[in-house]
Amino acid sequence: MDGATTAWLLVCSALVIFMTPGLAFFYSGMDRSRNSLNMLMMNFWSLLVVPLVWAVLGYSLAFGGSGSLLGNLDSAFLSGTGIGADQGESLVWLVYLGAFAAITPALISGAVADRMKFSAWAVFVPLWSLLVYVPVTFWIYGGTDADGALTGWLATRGSLDFAGGTAIHVNAGIAALAAVVVLGRRKGWPSEGHPPHSMPLVMIGTAILLFGWFGFNSGAGGLTDGVAIQAFANTFLAAAAGGFAWALTERVKDGHFTNLGVASGMVAGLVAITPAAGFVSGMSPIWIGLAAGVVCAFAVGLKFSAGFDDSLDVVGVHMVGGLVGSLLIGLFANPGALGDFEAGLLNGGGAGLLLEQFIANAVTIVFSFAVTFAILKVLDLTMGIRASEDDELTGLDVSQHAETAYNLAESTMAR
Amino acid sequence: MDGATTAWLLVCSALVIFMTPGLAFFYSGMDRSRNSLNMLMMNFWSLLVVPLVWAVLGYSLAFGGSGSLLGNLDSAFLSGTGIGADQGESLVWLVYLGAFAAITPALISGAVADRMKFSAWAVFVPLWSLLVYVPVTFWIYGGTDADGALTGWLATRGSLDFAGGTAIHVNAGIAALAAVVVLGRRKGWPSEGHPPHSMPLVMIGTAILLFGWFGFNSGAGGLTDGVAIQAFANTFLAAAAGGFAWALTERVKDGHFTNLGVASGMVAGLVAITPAAGFVSGMSPIWIGLAAGVVCAFAVGLKFSAGFDDSLDVVGVHMVGGLVGSLLIGLFANPGALGDFEAGLLNGGGAGLLLEQFIANAVTIVFSFAVTFAILKVLDLTMGIRASEDDELTGLDVSQHAETAYNLAESTMAR
Amino acid sequence: MDGATTAWLLVCSALVIFMTPGLAFFYSGMDRSRNSLNMLMMNFWSLLVVPLVWAVLGYSLAFGGSGSLLGNLDSAFLSGTGIGADQGESLVWLVYLGAFAAITPALISGAVADRMKFSAWAVFVPLWSLLVYVPVTFWIYGGTDADGALTGWLATRGSLDFAGGTAIHVNAGIAALAAVVVLGRRKGWPSEGHPPHSMPLVMIGTAILLFGWFGFNSGAGGLTDGVAIQAFANTFLAAAAGGFAWALTERVKDGHFTNLGVASGMVAGLVAITPAAGFVSGMSPIWIGLAAGVVCAFAVGLKFSAGFDDSLDVVGVHMVGGLVGSLLIGLFANPGALGDFEAGLLNGGGAGLLLEQFIANAVTIVFSFAVTFAILKVLDLTMGIRASEDDELTGLDVSQHAETAYNLAESTMAR
Amino acid sequence: MKLITAIIKPHKLDDVKAALKTIGVDGMTVTEVRGFGRQGGHTETYRGTEYQVDFLPKVRIEAVVDDLDAGDVLDTIVSSARTDKIGDGKVWVSPVDEIVRIRTGERGAEAV
Amino acid sequence: MKLITAIIKPHKLDDVKAALKTIGVDGMTVTEVRGFGRQGGHTETYRGTEYQVDFLPKVRIEAVVDDLDAGDVLDTIVSSARTDKIGDGKVWVSPVDEIVRIRTGERGAEAV
Amino acid sequence: MKLITAIIKPHKLDDVKAALKTIGVDGMTVTEVRGFGRQGGHTETYRGTEYQVDFLPKVRIEAVVDDLDAGDVLDTIVSSARTDKIGDGKVWVSPVDEIVRIRTGERGAEAV
Ligand SMILES: Nc1ncnc2c1ncn2[C@@H]1O[C@H](COP(=O)(O)OP(=O)(O)O)[C@@H](O)[C@H]1O
Ligand SMILES: Nc1ncnc2c1ncn2[C@@H]1O[C@H](COP(=O)(O)OP(=O)(O)O)[C@@H](O)[C@H]1O
Ligand SMILES: Nc1ncnc2c1ncn2[C@@H]1O[C@H](COP(=O)(O)OP(=O)(O)O)[C@@H](O)[C@H]1O
């Protein structure tokens, strides 16, 4: 690995690692004050526990060997990685991909806000990482045969996922739905309002997410070449288009341009471009971003009719946004300069790619929903996953963490 | 473009993109709570709408062709850029320069705080970008002839502007003044006080600005060479010197070292070094930073005698700071190792460079003031640019965006 | 210096520069509201004044020449650095190391929270930087002989310190203790409680620290090679392990997983891996992180029995964490692929390295304590270092800086 | 005129407001307060140091009403704020000599 | 002694304070409160969900004054807080049995 | 019943609370307020512009107590809140007609 690639992948790793705190602020700001630390903690927890699980087991299972369903344990406990083995070439990937692994379960936390026992979350994260994230990742990105081609079964079928639209966003989005189904609604939802407790915190989170996302999408190609540039540009334009489209949709629908709309739309655009970033070019990222912004702005309203208390709209933004982007690859994929893959419908390809995109997402949705549901049911029967009514009312910050977010009072009264 | 340059320009692009949210926090923290989201939104809006306008029209008009006054439409709608065209070489510049384009109108928002209709701002930003930013940029950085030399008329005359002291800071600063003239004062200004609602938010913004500014100044040379290093070091030292000088000035003048003074001084130092970053070396950045810190600390007081309600001192910091740095190039410019350009007075050059610096800034000031004034007058006559008195009193967050920044109350009363 | 190395060191410099504001937020959030700006300011001050002192004197004294105790003045006032001298090769190091120099005195600020006169701090920072930081740095990293080997006396003895465990964390940690001894306790400590005024601000600081620390540890090798990758990975894993261990320790000890525990543990893990980052591999960073998390979680309690009001636990986190990491090098050091140095006990080395680690830290502790104590005593006798009782009660924000952190009230009452 | 002051649990504010509207109380002023009482508080822990938090979030409602309505208002608050759990709060009634509506200068019953 | 309690618009606080100072009221205590009344509130929208915000920011002023001054103080507040727009607020007067200045233990008129 | 209202310095809240507990006051409600008085304020400076901050942070305590206890409570607050420095605050006593404990509906002395 040459110096430029090394530097680039390390910088991208740092950027992706920065995203999980960014997500924490994005979600925490949207939450009510009395649960805002619990929200932060659910995200930071993922950034602590997943890298350890990943180093010890996850990476090896998600990428090792040449099977089609799951990796092996050859690199477990970091064996055969590190500077001694190959001058760090596999280690930099372990880290970069570990940062992706860390943020994925964190995404789910937005759906279970305000009512999940923290101890249950603490156990859920490593379990979900190993039982859901690792296999799906293997199917899409894992295994290498003698010629260096991927051997995971979805990859070999021919679906495309540049930086984790399916493996990360759709996967976490549908898991969020499963969690909501098992966990039930918050007391007082939907009658009681849950306005964001700190919009500036939401915007700080958004800024960090946007910034980090460049490492997420642009590093995923693994080289410092034109693909990295194109992926970066696509990310920039899709974020802008997503934010613009959501804001405009809200202006028409509800009468105002809102900050939360801008933030949500940027994230929706970023989610949607994630699977497509290295496969499309020209004006395509703008169309993808606009589509995601509009579709997700409507999708977040569905939870009310469906009766699912997906508190911070993980399904509406991440699953829906991920699907929008992943399926639009079937239209916009533009091989040639970007690499050797199937073309999308609008670039002279057939419907084959669209079908494969559909299959990959459908498989992920079914698998992730089922296993997430099972994990949470088992946890519920064993340790219980829902905070007591009293704890929910008092707020999870005090009841789960014995902390309060803000103590602004001059006196010794806590605030 | 080699791997190192690609990686470097992408990282610098991400840094510059991060700056617009940084500016949003810097300004929003200084604003009163009830307008703080409007301030955030004005900045984020610029980060959404400018990249789209830039991709579609702006970049091509600001850089294309080989004219002296304006570019052409050859690259409009991203045509001829992207990986297919030149392995991303022009695309990375489109993105990097697009991030500069996005922050420039955002700078103006600080001047119009608390009283501008958001719908008017929403329209103003793309208009200003195309009608003011694009031409000025072309004059200074645009056009290339067959030998690769710049053809914009100010560039060919010989003025220097490394990363946008004139094109960005003076330009936005004088536009801010025009906006204040058209928009008028806030109700109750200056008798009523407007202390910052959240100094920590100001400092978060400052930190992000400082961090991102390294990409702004250090990437502007386009190479990973000694110039990039020198520009980086100059940025670091000028920021420190600016903050130090402003803080000390305030200590002497008003009796205290203040956080806002430090933040403002760092920004003033950064603004001043922007045009000079790749043209000076040795102790010069320290002198430039010190000068900017002292001069701007006094300049921000002038609005009271002049009667202009430049709410967050865009003129006093960006126009004045930009002028300080731009004119000091005429003294400190130090060609040789840094490149082939006119030397400053103190380095054995004549007064010619100083004169050109003066001309470039004067031209920018006259043009930008006039066109900004015209745009706003037209908007005022057509859609109206000033929020109603009631909306101003209620606060723009609620009246323009139907949101409040903080809901810290335990009850359902909004806060 | 090739393009990749240039880009890498510049990016790492920006990351390390970003850390001082990060530290400011980390500390300020933990402080009470009425002193939170003073805390921010103590840190930002360090970021202003140290780079200037560093450029003018510090760098030359800390690295120049080939002595064993102190450098020379050859590069004072930036002479012989800069693009003209060597294409920026020494300048990039001056900047990168200047960012380290800036954060070190800032670390001490956490110990003196709520009671130190700002004017005294303003003078203390440059003094401490020159009289303590510069010599210790020279002993460990300074001087180069004709063959390019280090000549500082601790370096030549054979102790290891990759990125500043001893030179920065132990050094600042023990200085913090000296400061507490001279300054005395806060009024009302320990009976009166001092809960963090804004945990979200603490977590924002933590996120920035974590992000920046990758530049701190991973750039310290100076190359974009396998060592950089290994150091990066070690940093990632130790941070996770530290946060995990501290959180778990608190869960067992006090009954809850806390956000502050996670934040503190991540920092403890980062501190501990700092000296070791480029010397260990495999699972070692995880063991180091776990050890630091547990040990520091207990260490922070000692101040109560010892009666030292180390307000934000600088000793318990930075000195103790630095010692843990520095001494564990004696066990885990793993030469070979990582370079040519003594092996640790567990990797077939003798106790020699452990002894040298012990000596280097002991020397640093004695020297830093003594000189810091002397500086503060002299300042106390001349200008006074403790804020008046009234100022302490009113809060340092208003009394030292004439500012308040939050003005959330709708009325003109300050908040 | 009487001033009715109520200290209630924050999440009951909407119910109380709605109930008061039903019986014709058109104005009130509320404050975020902290209450100390039998309900007890909770502890918080920061880096191993325990903090006893005795003061819990409550909402204070003030409404000036006609002498004749005072009893009704009192009863309405009591019934709508009640959760039957400790910490539900108090309501008290105190005399008011005069009240003026600032906008119009109206006094007494017309001002509330 | 009388306690004057006023609910006013936040941006009128400076005017009221100045007016009270002019007539010799040297002390008062103010609180950020939220008011519900005829003025109505506004709606906020987050991701398409509407929130009705009925409580508007107000400032509550309390001043204990001599019986004889009560009328004057009342009138001064009314005139200085008035904007003639809905939501200007209320002022009311209630009886106080006793007041003590903590620092000195002075009681009654000397304590205010 | 009497309502005791005290305005004190924020850092004295713990002492006052402890003192009141000692004499059997089991409930009170506190509010963060801002006080204007002889103590004067301070100035703040932002970018060279001075702001006069006249309102200083205070804490307001309310406790409804039995008529017979009122004197005691008053004295206890005065002695425990005193620092002998300007700005210590005030305590006043006003009449209360009736008080109800929401949870139980108890009235009068049993409700406090
Ligand atoms: N004597 C009192 N005076 C004023 N407020 C009181 C008094 N006693 C209780 N309160 C308020 O009522 C709240 C509830 O009281 P508490 O004793 O906890 O429960 P309950 O109302 O069920 O008896 C307290 O938090 C406090 O705000
Ligand atoms: N009966 C009342 N008791 C206490 N406060 C009241 C009462 N009625 C109104 N207020 C307060 O006065 C404010 C203004 O009242 P509102 O009815 O909106 O307008 P106006 O004062 O112009 O009649 C309210 O927001 C509320 O804080
Ligand atoms: N007449 C008053 N009515 C209500 N509150 C008052 C009055 N006078 C003073 N206060 C409150 O008491 C506080 C202290 O008063 P001040 O005059 O500063 O000092 P002191 O209590 O020592 O005389 C003020 O900040 C204010 O909150």
Side-chain angles (χ1 to χ4, degrees):
Chain A
M1 189 171 284
D2 67 9
T5 311
T6 299
W8 172 239
L9 285 179
L10 290 181
V11 172
C12 288
S13 298
L15 287 169
V16 181
I17 291 167
F18 201 26
M19 287 178 74
T20 301
L23 184 68
F25 305 134
F26 180 68
Y27 278 166
S28 177
M30 259 189 271
D31 210 341
R32 279 167 306 171
S33 175
R34 69 171 186 258
N35 299 313
S36 58
L37 291 182
N38 173 253
M39 184 46 74
L40 285 178
M41 184 85 174
M42 287 199 282
N43 285 272
F44 273 86
W45 183 254
S46 196
L47 191 58
L48 299 181
V49 86
V50 173
L52 299 177
V53 169
W54 187 251
V56 164
L57 277 182
Y59 171 71
S60 189
L61 287 171
F63 288 94
S66 56
S68 74
L69 287 175
L70 201 64
N72 56 30
L73 291 176
D74 289 1
S75 322
F77 290 90
L78 293 164
S79 80
T81 64
I83 185 166
D86 55 2
Q87 283 302 314
E89 195 140 342
S90 50
L91 190 59
V92 71
W93 281 106
L94 183 145
V95 167
Y96 181 62
L97 296 166
F100 284 70
I103 201 173
T104 311
L107 290 171
I108 305 171
S109 65
V112 303
D114 304 356
R115 59 201 187 286
M116 187 162 177
K117 262 166 60 177
F118 184 75
S119 55
W121 177 260
V123 177
F124 171 74
V125 168
L127 284 181
W128 190 87
S129 200
L130 287 172
L131 300 179
V132 181
Y133 183 71
V134 159
V136 171
T137 298
F138 188 87
W139 303 345
I140 297 178
Y141 300 111
T144 359
D145 64 17
D147 306 334
L150 297 184
T151 62
W153 75 279
L154 287 174
T156 50
R157 287 190 61 94
S159 65
L160 299 174
D161 187 3
F162 194 69
T166 307
I168 291 175
H169 294 286
V170 171
N171 190 357
I174 188 70
L177 188 63
V180 169
V181 170
V182 182
L183 203 55
R185 309 170 177 193
R186 287 172 289 180
K187 273 187 68 68
W189 185 88
S191 61
E192 204 179 292
H194 303 87
H197 91 280
S198 171
M199 279 301 302
L201 194 57
V202 171
M203 301 315 276
I204 289 173
T206 307
I208 296 177
L209 283 173
L210 170 67
F211 179 55
W213 222 298
F214 292 109
F216 202 92
N217 285 356
S218 191
L223 294 170
T224 54
D225 57 359
V227 177
I229 294 173
Q230 186 69 56
F232 191 108
N234 290 345
T235 303
F236 185 43
L237 294 173
F244 181 74
W246 187 311
L248 224 63
T249 305
E250 281 202 342
R251 175 73 180 72
V252 170
K253 198 162 67 79
D254 313 318
H256 294 92
F257 293 102
T258 73
N259 282 269
L260 190 56
V262 163
S264 308
M266 291 177 89
V267 171
L270 289 163
V271 167
I273 201 65
T274 297
F279 301 127
V280 303
S281 57
M283 294 285 288
S284 303
I286 297 184
W287 309 135
I288 292 175
L290 292 173
V294 174
V295 171
C296 293
F298 282 99
V300 294
L302 297 179
K303 67 180 178 187
F304 295 106
S305 25
F308 289 123
D309 182 12
D310 172 12
S311 318
L312 309 180
D313 300 308
V314 182
V315 182
V317 174
H318 293 276
M319 192 185 83
V320 174
L323 282 176
V324 166
S326 192
L327 296 177
L328 287 179
I329 294 177
L331 264 59
F332 292 122
N334 189 16
L338 284 165
D340 184 24
F341 47 84
E342 202 81 18
L345 266 172
L346 300 179
N347 284 311
L353 179 57
L354 189 57
L355 182 71
E356 284 308 322
Q357 293 303 102
F358 182 83
I359 292 174
N361 284 294
V363 165
T364 301
I365 285 175
V366 171
F367 177 80
S368 177
F369 187 94
V371 181
T372 308
F373 188 91
I375 296 173
L376 285 170
K377 273 289 175 200
V378 169
L379 289 182
D380 201 17
L381 292 171
T382 49
M383 66 191 303
I385 63 171
R386 175 123 191 178
S388 74
E389 207 184 299
D390 254 22
D391 285 2
E392 193 178 336
L393 222 67
T394 311
L396 299 186
D397 291 1
V398 162
S399 69
Q400 308 297 299
H401 308 293
E403 293 175 296
T404 4
Y406 305 95
N407 290 291
L408 299 177
E410 294 276 340
S411 65
T412 50
M413 307 185 302
R415 253 232 94 149
Chain B
M1 190 171 283
D2 68 9
T5 310
T6 299
W8 173 239
L9 285 179
L10 292 180
V11 172
C12 288
S13 298
L15 286 170
V16 181
I17 292 168
F18 200 27
M19 287 177 74
T20 301
L23 184 69
F25 305 135
F26 180 68
Y27 279 166
S28 177
M30 259 187 273
D31 210 340
R32 278 167 306 170
S33 175
R34 68 170 185 258
N35 299 313
S36 58
L37 291 182
N38 174 253
M39 184 46 75
L40 285 178
M41 184 86 174
M42 286 199 283
N43 286 273
F44 273 86
W45 183 255
S46 196
L47 191 58
L48 299 181
V49 87
V50 174
L52 300 177
V53 169
W54 187 252
V56 164
L57 276 183
Y59 170 71
S60 190
L61 287 172
F63 287 94
S66 55
S68 73
L69 287 175
L70 201 64
N72 56 29
L73 291 175
D74 289 0
S75 322
F77 291 89
L78 294 164
S79 80
T81 65
I83 185 165
D86 55 3
Q87 282 303 312
E89 195 140 340
S90 50
L91 190 60
V92 71
W93 280 106
L94 183 145
V95 167
Y96 181 62
L97 296 167
F100 284 71
I103 201 173
T104 311
L107 290 171
I108 304 170
S109 65
V112 302
D114 304 358
R115 58 200 187 287
M116 187 163 178
K117 261 167 60 178
F118 184 75
S119 55
W121 177 260
V123 177
F124 171 73
V125 169
L127 284 182
W128 191 87
S129 201
L130 286 173
L131 300 180
V132 181
Y133 183 71
V134 158
V136 171
T137 298
F138 188 87
W139 304 343
I140 297 178
Y141 300 111
T144 359
D145 64 16
D147 306 334
L150 297 184
T151 62
W153 76 279
L154 288 175
T156 50
R157 286 190 60 94
S159 66
L160 299 174
D161 187 4
F162 194 69
T166 307
I168 291 175
H169 293 286
V170 171
N171 190 357
I174 188 70
L177 188 63
V180 169
V181 170
V182 182
L183 203 55
R185 309 169 178 192
R186 286 172 290 181
K187 274 186 67 68
W189 184 88
S191 62
E192 204 181 291
H194 304 87
H197 91 280
S198 171
M199 279 302 302
L201 193 58
V202 172
M203 301 314 277
I204 289 173
T206 307
I208 295 176
L209 282 173
L210 170 68
F211 179 55
W213 221 300
F214 291 109
F216 201 94
N217 285 357
S218 191
L223 294 170
T224 55
D225 57 359
V227 178
I229 294 173
Q230 187 68 56
F232 191 108
N234 290 346
T235 304
F236 185 44
L237 294 173
F244 181 75
W246 188 311
L248 225 61
T249 305
E250 281 202 341
R251 175 72 180 72
V252 171
K253 199 162 67 81
D254 313 317
H256 293 91
F257 292 101
T258 72
N259 283 268
L260 190 56
V262 163
S264 309
M266 291 177 87
V267 171
L270 289 163
V271 167
I273 201 65
T274 296
F279 301 126
V280 303
S281 57
M283 293 286 288
S284 304
I286 297 184
W287 308 135
I288 292 175
L290 291 174
V294 174
V295 172
C296 293
F298 282 99
V300 294
L302 297 179
K303 67 180 179 187
F304 295 106
S305 25
F308 290 123
D309 181 11
D310 172 13
S311 317
L312 308 180
D313 300 309
V314 182
V315 182
V317 175
H318 293 277
M319 192 186 82
V320 174
L323 282 176
V324 166
S326 193
L327 296 178
L328 287 179
I329 294 178
L331 264 60
F332 290 122
N334 189 17
L338 283 165
D340 183 22
F341 47 85
E342 203 80 17
L345 266 173
L346 300 180
N347 284 311
L353 179 56
L354 189 56
L355 182 70
E356 285 307 324
Q357 293 303 103
F358 182 84
I359 292 173
N361 284 293
V363 166
T364 301
I365 284 175
V366 171
F367 177 80
S368 177
F369 187 93
V371 182
T372 307
F373 188 91
I375 296 174
L376 285 169
K377 273 289 176 203
V378 170
L379 288 182
D380 201 17
L381 292 172
T382 48
M383 66 192 300
I385 64 171
R386 175 124 190 179
S388 74
E389 206 184 300
D390 253 23
D391 284 1
E392 193 178 338
L393 221 68
T394 311
L396 299 185
D397 292 1
V398 162
S399 69
Q400 308 297 300
H401 308 294
E403 293 176 295
T404 6
Y406 305 96
N407 290 290
L408 298 176
E410 295 275 339
S411 64
T412 51
M413 306 185 303
R415 255 228 92 152
Chain C
M1 190 173 284
D2 67 10
T5 311
T6 299
W8 172 239
L9 284 179
L10 291 181
V11 172
C12 288
S13 298
L15 287 170
V16 181
I17 292 167
F18 201 27
M19 287 177 74
T20 302
L23 185 68
F25 306 134
F26 180 68
Y27 278 166
S28 177
M30 259 188 273
D31 211 340
R32 278 167 306 170
S33 176
R34 69 171 185 259
N35 298 313
S36 57
L37 291 182
N38 174 252
M39 184 47 74
L40 285 178
M41 183 85 174
M42 287 200 281
N43 286 272
F44 273 87
W45 183 254
S46 196
L47 190 59
L48 299 182
V49 86
V50 173
L52 299 177
V53 169
W54 188 251
V56 164
L57 275 182
Y59 171 71
S60 190
L61 287 172
F63 287 95
S66 57
S68 74
L69 287 175
L70 201 63
N72 56 29
L73 291 176
D74 290 1
S75 323
F77 290 90
L78 294 163
S79 81
T81 64
I83 184 165
D86 55 2
Q87 282 301 314
E89 194 140 343
S90 50
L91 190 60
V92 70
W93 280 106
L94 183 147
V95 168
Y96 182 62
L97 296 166
F100 284 71
I103 200 172
T104 311
L107 290 171
I108 304 170
S109 65
V112 303
D114 304 357
R115 60 199 185 287
M116 188 163 177
K117 262 167 59 177
F118 185 75
S119 56
W121 177 260
V123 177
F124 171 73
V125 168
L127 285 181
W128 191 87
S129 201
L130 286 172
L131 300 179
V132 181
Y133 182 72
V134 158
V136 171
T137 298
F138 188 87
W139 303 345
I140 298 178
Y141 299 110
T144 359
D145 64 17
D147 306 334
L150 297 184
T151 62
W153 76 279
L154 287 175
T156 50
R157 287 190 60 94
S159 66
L160 298 174
D161 188 3
F162 194 70
T166 306
I168 291 174
H169 294 285
V170 171
N171 191 357
I174 188 70
L177 188 63
V180 169
V181 170
V182 182
L183 203 54
R185 310 170 178 191
R186 286 172 289 180
K187 275 188 66 70
W189 184 88
S191 61
E192 203 181 292
H194 304 87
H197 91 279
S198 171
M199 280 301 303
L201 193 58
V202 171
M203 301 314 277
I204 288 173
T206 306
I208 295 176
L209 282 173
L210 170 68
F211 179 56
W213 222 299
F214 291 109
F216 202 92
N217 285 356
S218 191
L223 294 171
T224 55
D225 57 358
V227 177
I229 295 174
Q230 187 70 54
F232 192 107
N234 290 346
T235 304
F236 185 43
L237 294 173
F244 181 74
W246 188 310
L248 224 62
T249 305
E250 282 202 342
R251 175 72 180 72
V252 170
K253 200 163 67 80
D254 313 318
H256 294 92
F257 292 101
T258 72
N259 282 268
L260 190 56
V262 164
S264 308
M266 291 177 88
V267 171
L270 288 163
V271 167
I273 201 65
T274 296
F279 301 127
V280 304
S281 58
M283 294 284 290
S284 302
I286 297 184
W287 309 135
I288 292 175
L290 292 174
V294 174
V295 172
C296 294
F298 281 100
V300 293
L302 296 179
K303 68 180 178 188
F304 295 105
S305 25
F308 290 123
D309 181 12
D310 172 12
S311 317
L312 308 181
D313 300 309
V314 182
V315 182
V317 174
H318 293 276
M319 192 186 83
V320 174
L323 282 176
V324 166
S326 192
L327 296 177
L328 288 179
I329 295 177
L331 264 60
F332 291 122
N334 190 17
L338 283 165
D340 183 24
F341 47 83
E342 202 80 18
L345 266 172
L346 300 179
N347 284 311
L353 179 55
L354 189 56
L355 182 69
E356 285 308 325
Q357 294 303 102
F358 182 84
I359 292 174
N361 284 294
V363 166
T364 301
I365 285 175
V366 171
F367 177 80
S368 176
F369 187 93
V371 183
T372 307
F373 188 91
I375 296 173
L376 285 170
K377 273 289 176 201
V378 170
L379 289 182
D380 202 18
L381 292 172
T382 48
M383 66 192 301
I385 63 171
R386 177 126 189 177
S388 74
E389 206 184 300
D390 254 23
D391 285 2
E392 193 178 336
L393 222 68
T394 311
L396 300 185
D397 291 1
V398 163
S399 68
Q400 308 297 300
H401 307 293
E403 293 175 295
T404 6
Y406 305 97
N407 291 291
L408 299 176
E410 295 275 341
S411 64
T412 50
M413 307 185 302
R415 252 231 94 150
Chain D
M1 313 295 303
K2 296 289 178 191
L3 168 67
I4 316 284
T5 306
I7 313 292
I8 63 167
K9 289 190 170 160
H11 70 278
K12 295 303 284 179
L13 175 61
D14 271 349
D15 293 345
V16 173
K17 184 193 67 185
L20 287 178
K21 262 173 102 168
T22 320
I23 61 159
V25 176
D26 291 331
M28 69 189 86
T29 300
V30 302
T31 317
E32 293 271 312
V33 298
R34 296 267 152 177
F36 172 78
R38 300 187 191 167
Q39 188 185 356
H42 61 262
T43 53
E44 300 183 4
T45 316
Y46 298 100
R47 283 193 177 157
T49 310
E50 277 209 356
Y51 294 88
Q52 177 59 32
V53 177
D54 283 330
F55 294 100
L56 297 173
K58 301 282 169 193
V59 161
R60 180 179 189 272
I61 303 178
E62 281 174 304
V64 177
V65 298
D66 230 51
D67 287 4
L68 296 174
D69 300 336
D72 255 21
V73 171
L74 190 101
D75 293 344
T76 305
I77 294 180
V78 169
S79 62
S80 59
R82 197 162 181 166
T83 69
D84 292 326
K85 296 221 186 95
I86 196 158
D88 273 354
K90 321 271 157 181
V91 201
W92 62 82
V93 183
S94 41
V96 165
D97 299 347
E98 182 61 286
I99 176 162
V100 186
R101 183 190 305 275
I102 292 174
R103 174 166 46 94
T104 57
E106 287 161 293
R107 298 194 168 222
E110 272 143 50
V112 303
Chain E
M1 313 295 303
K2 296 289 178 192
L3 168 66
I4 316 284
T5 305
I7 312 293
I8 63 167
K9 289 191 171 159
H11 71 277
K12 296 302 284 178
L13 175 61
D14 272 349
D15 293 344
V16 173
K17 184 192 68 184
L20 288 178
K21 262 172 101 168
T22 320
I23 61 160
V25 176
D26 292 331
M28 69 190 85
T29 300
V30 303
T31 316
E32 292 271 313
V33 297
R34 295 270 151 176
F36 172 79
R38 301 187 190 167
Q39 189 185 356
H42 60 263
T43 52
E44 300 183 4
T45 316
Y46 298 100
R47 283 193 177 157
T49 310
E50 277 209 355
Y51 293 88
Q52 177 59 31
V53 177
D54 284 330
F55 294 100
L56 296 173
K58 302 281 169 193
V59 161
R60 180 179 189 273
I61 303 179
E62 281 175 304
V64 177
V65 298
D66 231 50
D67 286 5
L68 297 174
D69 300 336
D72 255 21
V73 171
L74 190 101
D75 293 343
T76 305
I77 294 180
V78 169
S79 62
S80 60
R82 198 160 179 165
T83 69
D84 292 326
K85 295 224 185 93
I86 195 157
D88 274 354
K90 322 272 159 180
V91 200
W92 63 82
V93 184
S94 42
V96 166
D97 300 347
E98 181 62 285
I99 175 162
V100 185
R101 182 191 305 276
I102 292 174
R103 176 166 45 95
T104 57
E106 286 161 293
R107 296 192 170 222
E110 272 142 50
V112 302
Chain F
M1 312 295 304
K2 295 288 178 193
L3 168 67
I4 316 286
T5 306
I7 313 292
I8 63 167
K9 290 191 170 157
H11 71 279
K12 296 303 284 179
L13 175 61
D14 271 349
D15 293 345
V16 173
K17 185 192 68 185
L20 287 178
K21 261 172 102 168
T22 320
I23 61 158
V25 175
D26 292 330
M28 69 190 85
T29 300
V30 303
T31 317
E32 293 271 313
V33 297
R34 296 269 151 176
F36 172 78
R38 301 187 190 167
Q39 188 184 357
H42 60 263
T43 52
E44 300 184 3
T45 315
Y46 298 100
R47 284 194 177 156
T49 309
E50 276 210 356
Y51 294 88
Q52 176 59 31
V53 177
D54 284 329
F55 294 99
L56 297 173
K58 301 283 170 191
V59 161
R60 180 179 190 273
I61 304 179
E62 281 174 304
V64 178
V65 299
D66 231 49
D67 287 4
L68 297 175
D69 300 336
D72 254 21
V73 170
L74 190 101
D75 293 344
T76 305
I77 294 179
V78 169
S79 62
S80 59
R82 196 160 180 165
T83 69
D84 291 325
K85 296 221 186 94
I86 195 158
D88 274 354
K90 321 271 159 182
V91 200
W92 63 81
V93 183
S94 41
V96 166
D97 300 348
E98 181 62 287
I99 176 163
V100 185
R101 182 191 306 274
I102 293 174
R103 175 167 45 97
T104 56
E106 286 161 293
R107 294 189 172 225
E110 271 144 50
V112 302

